Amino acid sequence: MRLEIGNFYVKDIKFGDKLSFDDGVLTINKEKALDFIREDERITEADLYIAKPGDKIRMCPVKEAIEPRVRLDGRGLFPGYTSELAKAGDGVLHALKNCSVLVVGKHWGGFQDGLIDMSGEGQKYTYFGYLNNIVLVADTNEDFEKHEQQKKNDALRRAGHKLAEFIGQCVKELAPEDTEVYDLEAMIKRSPEIEKLPSVVYVMQPQSQMENLGYNDLAYGWDMNRMLPTVMHPNEVLDGAIVSGSFMPVSSKWSTYDFQNTPNIKALYREHGKTINFLGVIMSNLNVALDQKERAALYVAQIAKTLGADGAVVAEEGYGNPDADFVGCLVALEDAGVKTIGVTNECTGRNGTSQPLVTLDEKCDAIVSCGNVSELIELPPMETVLGELQSLARDGLSGGWAGDEILGPSVREDGSVIMENNSMFCGDQVVGWSPKTMKEF
């Protein structure tokens, strides 16, 4: 498969008369964009905002992030989800870089929603604090979900994905500033020079724990709870075949933007033919019951061994219960003779002294930590809040609380907050964005 991504670098965003991109400036006709969003009758309230690095803006509850793109052949960005089912990973698309569409709840949040700051101390905790963002703040008539800790947020999430497609149309006929090419040949019959290099697979474990449909990550629109581990071409992941779900403590989540740009995949691509023979992606899942976890681990190990992998990189979306899937997969791969590195966050408690993963094994001797979900974070008030900050405390966001006998409420009267890293939107960035560094004391 050969995927070409033509890049357009967004330096500024503004509202204006028509949707356009010129000399780094993205202009959006706000009313036309909102009319498009309101075509879904479930959307009861909606507004658009612009949030740029350095703005004194706090957003909460943030639900999703998507990179605006357009496919030149007319196919949809997310096949099987926002458009008819079609093959992803091949062809040409254009992307607006340094830019994302963020979806924020106007009122109601949940366990899987988070916070983004565009400046100050909080900015450093998320990748999206450094992007130029089009922010959709909306509410829906899905009243049955409002007081639920877990929400599907289907209308809001689909609105964000469709808005990203709508905005991407403005660069369809333009010449990109540069082009990324991802061209990976079939796994077998490669040149002798490549085949003599160590063969490596990238194992992704997207969130798929919820047995009720509608909460999990999607593969071509298919709920990943219904999947067994399988082989995917890395281009499919970069080209919209995987869509983020609404389940998972938010610092551990992989947004759709993360799938579209997975840095770990791009890093393996860069080393292909130089230091490694990058075979591709084994797309696994995360399960609830122990036998399901064991079955998936066996599948992953068998696939890796059958493909002739010498090494594997395993990345886990989540923590807690999914740690059993993660560790089980690493052990199964090592038992099959595949040298394995794991990438995950950890839950070591607010004082950092608890066991980092729910389960451990001595064979897991090479793990990259992307941070502690329970780390306490205090942030001063921000001038502007998009959404409803009180949702951090009221609605059970994974790192917030209504009251603590020592710390008090997460949201203070002056607008400052104290919370766990858990509530930073996609903050741990296991997919490869993480700026965090391990230090010895």
Side-chain angles (χ1 to χ4, degrees), residues 390-397 399-405 407-412 418:
Q390 191 59 37
S391 66
L392 177 65
R394 183 193 64 213
D395 296 338
L397 273 65
W401 53 86
D404 182 282
E405 59 184 24
L407 300 174
S410 278
V411 181
R412 297 159 173 161
I418 181 169

Side-chain angles (χ1 to χ4, degrees), residues 130-352:
Y130 296 93
L131 297 182
N132 296 297
N133 300 297
I134 305 109
V135 186
L136 169 62
V137 180
D139 197 14
T140 78
N141 64 5
E142 295 161 316
D143 292 340
F144 63 96
E145 284 192 344
K146 285 184 177 178
H147 298 284
E148 295 291 327
Q149 187 184 48
Q150 297 293 350
K151 299 174 176 63
K152 295 181 181 180
N153 288 317
D154 184 69
L156 293 179
R157 297 171 60 76
R158 285 181 185 268
H161 291 92
K162 291 178 180 179
L163 180 60
E165 290 184 302
F166 178 89
I167 292 171
Q169 292 290 329
C170 69
V171 293
K172 185 174 183 179
E173 306 298 331
L174 303 181
E177 298 173 49
D178 61 47
T179 301
E180 301 171 51
V181 177
Y182 298 98
D183 191 0
L184 192 65
E185 60 271 49
M187 292 181 183
I188 62 172
K189 300 178 181 178
R190 292 179 174 175
S191 69
E193 292 77 17
I194 290 179
E195 291 199 342
K196 71 181 180 181
L197 297 170
S199 296
V200 177
V201 292
Y202 183 48
V203 181
M204 300 185 75
Q205 293 182 311
Q207 183 49 236
S208 52
Q209 282 184 289
M210 290 290 279
E211 294 178 346
N212 290 330
L213 302 184
Y215 298 92
N216 299 306
D217 294 351
L218 303 175
Y220 286 100
W222 185 258
D223 194 297
M224 295 191 72
N225 182 263
R226 293 184 167 185
M227 284 183 60
L228 288 171
T230 188
V231 174
M232 290 189 73
H233 197 287
N235 290 8
E236 294 178 279
V237 181
L238 299 176
D239 190 25
I242 308 296
V243 171
S244 173
S246 69
F247 178 74
M248 181 40 55
V250 75
S251 75
S252 307
K253 273 177 61 170
W254 301 343
S255 69
T256 297
Y257 185 103
D258 295 323
F259 285 115
Q260 292 173 298
N261 292 279
T262 311
N264 289 341
I265 287 179
K266 293 184 178 183
L268 291 165
Y269 249 119
R270 286 193 296 270
E271 293 303 310
H272 177 62
K274 300 175 183 176
T275 61
I276 62 169
N277 175 16
F278 180 31
L279 296 176
V281 173
I282 299 176
M283 189 62 67
S284 187
N285 51 4
L286 297 170
N287 304 280
V288 178
L290 183 59
D291 66 318
Q292 296 169 357
K293 298 174 185 291
E294 293 172 341
R295 185 180 298 112
L298 290 174
Y299 261 91
V300 170
Q302 175 269 119
I303 293 170
K305 196 66 176 177
T306 301
L307 296 178
D310 301 302
V313 178
V314 180
E316 167 194 20
E317 183 184 9
Y319 71 94
N321 186 293
D323 291 345
D325 301 78
F326 176 69
V327 170
C329 188
L330 266 66
V331 171
L333 285 163
E334 288 284 345
D335 286 344
V338 180
K339 296 296 183 183
T340 305
I341 293 173
V343 187
T344 183
N345 56 12
E346 51 187 308
C347 184
T348 57
R350 292 177 180 176
N351 61 4

